[in-house]
Amino acid sequence: MINFKKTSILPALATLCFPPLCIACGALLEEEREEPFCPACLSRINRAEGSFCSICGKPLEAPSSDGGHVCGDCIIHPPPFSRVRTLGIYEGPLLEAIHSFKYRKNMAAGERLGYMMARRNYDLLNPADYDVVVPVPLHPAKLRKRGFNQALVLAGKIARRFDRPINFTSLKKIAEGPPQVGLGRKRRERNIRGTFAVADGGRLQKTRVLLVDDVYTTGSTVRECARVLKQSGATDVAVVALARTRSDGHGRQAEGDGTDE
Ligand SMILES: [Zn+2]
Ligand SMILES: [Zn+2]
């Protein structure tokens, strides 16, 4: 019997037949095939590395040298999550890549974006500090329509890299709320209440949860997920997502929030 894991000719053959391409612009990649972007696209990703809120990760206008700033939103309405970190702003090559994954069902793109997420050094967030990886779930009807949960693909990569269990059965989306585009924070929070639930909370007692989403827009989805996870006994919930919108989604198409627009 052939031991495929030890056979080095297979990856070489795969590279020959399916050369690794940049998932944003299609340029041939010369380096590792799991990297999602060519160097040019990588350099165009806005990582929002200046000054940002140490909790929700929102870029801040006022410069901060110590990285300890907290935005007004997080001070006035302390979120149930401890951190949100992303690969960058939802625009340019990152947006292209996410669209390819989510809407054109390019699963290889999703795998490689997950690889990038799992290898990023996040500011004040180390995935190794968490006990379990939980993807933001889709409503069953949405899951049937799309055929896959994009957050689960990403979460799988992170769980594997850090050798953590992945739990995609406890947190459930039990109802679809109305569209959140252009609504204020209070209305969004009211709309999203009761759309997520934890099925077997006992499994999450005293765990630190790393919640995985694709695009962070208004934050109402991950706020609600974190709220129900903590209600079920999670001691900490931190969030990693592929990208965040520049603003909080007011007046623009909220593509990401809810992972399923
Ligand atoms: Zn490229
Ligand atoms: Zn904040």
Side-chain angles (χ1 to χ4, degrees):
M1 198 156 101
I2 300 171
N3 184 340
F4 283 94
K5 275 196 176 148
K6 286 190 178 158
T7 309
S8 61
I9 196 165
L10 285 180
L13 248 167
T15 305
L16 205 66
C17 301
F18 309 102
L21 305 177
C22 170
I23 57 179
C25 75
L28 193 65
L29 297 185
E30 284 164 13
E31 300 296 318
E32 206 179 339
R33 58 182 295 120
E34 280 201 88
E35 283 297 334
F37 297 106
C38 71
C41 286
L42 197 58
S43 72
R44 282 176 51 225
I45 291 174
N46 182 346
R47 289 178 55 161
E49 279 177 314
S51 177
F52 55 85
C53 171
S54 62
I55 297 176
C56 73
K58 179 162 74 183
L60 300 174
E61 306 220 326
S64 151
S65 53
D66 58 3
H69 278 208
V70 175
C71 76
D73 263 2
C74 288
I75 290 172
I76 299 166
H77 308 286
F81 48 70
S82 56
R83 304 260 176 258
V84 177
R85 294 294 182 266
T86 65
L87 296 178
I89 303 290
Y90 189 46
E91 59 188 23
L94 198 49
L95 180 145
E96 287 298 322
I98 293 170
H99 279 202
S100 172
F101 172 36
K102 248 174 107 169
Y103 304 118
R104 299 196 288 278
K105 299 188 183 353
N106 182 346
M107 301 308 286
E111 293 274 337
R112 285 157 68 192
L113 285 167
Y115 173 89
M116 190 174 170
M117 255 178 137
R119 269 158 185 77
R120 170 65 58 88
N121 287 321
Y122 299 97
D123 191 78
L124 302 175
L125 187 158
N126 181 1
D129 293 339
Y130 294 82
D131 303 310
V132 59
V133 183
V134 173
V136 170
L138 293 182
H139 187 271
K142 182 81 78 177
L143 184 61
R144 269 195 301 277
K145 197 168 147 213
R146 179 166 293 156
F148 68 101
N149 177 0
Q150 65 277 10
L152 176 57
V153 175
L154 305 169
K157 282 285 187 185
I158 297 169
R160 214 167 309 145
R161 163 100 210 264
F162 292 93
D163 197 20
R164 290 291 180 276
I166 182 164
N167 180 333
F168 55 90
T169 53
S170 294
L171 181 64
K172 294 191 182 301
K173 184 150 197 195
I174 54 172
E176 287 286 18
Q180 302 279 57
V181 185
L183 300 181
R185 191 188 58 81
K186 272 202 163 143
R187 279 288 299 281
R188 292 197 308 261
E189 261 170 33
R190 206 179 321 139
N191 284 346
I192 207 150
R193 277 274 162 135
T195 60
F196 290 93
V198 174
D200 47 358
R203 292 179 59 197
L204 294 166
Q205 284 289 334
K206 296 195 169 67
T207 56
R208 287 160 299 173
V209 174
L210 187 66
L211 185 66
V212 180
D213 202 359
D214 58 353
V215 182
Y216 179 95
T217 307
T218 64
S220 53
T221 294
V222 290
R223 265 181 184 259
E224 181 62 7
C225 289
R227 192 182 70 79
V228 297
L229 287 166
K230 288 183 96 171
Q231 231 171 31
S232 299
T235 52
D236 183 20
V237 179
V239 181
V240 287
L242 282 173
R244 65 185 313 128
T245 54
R246 210 171 253 290
S247 68
D248 66 358
H250 284 278
R252 53 185 296 158
Q253 194 188 354
E255 300 235 29
D257 201 39
T259 71
D260 51 0
E261 303 305 320

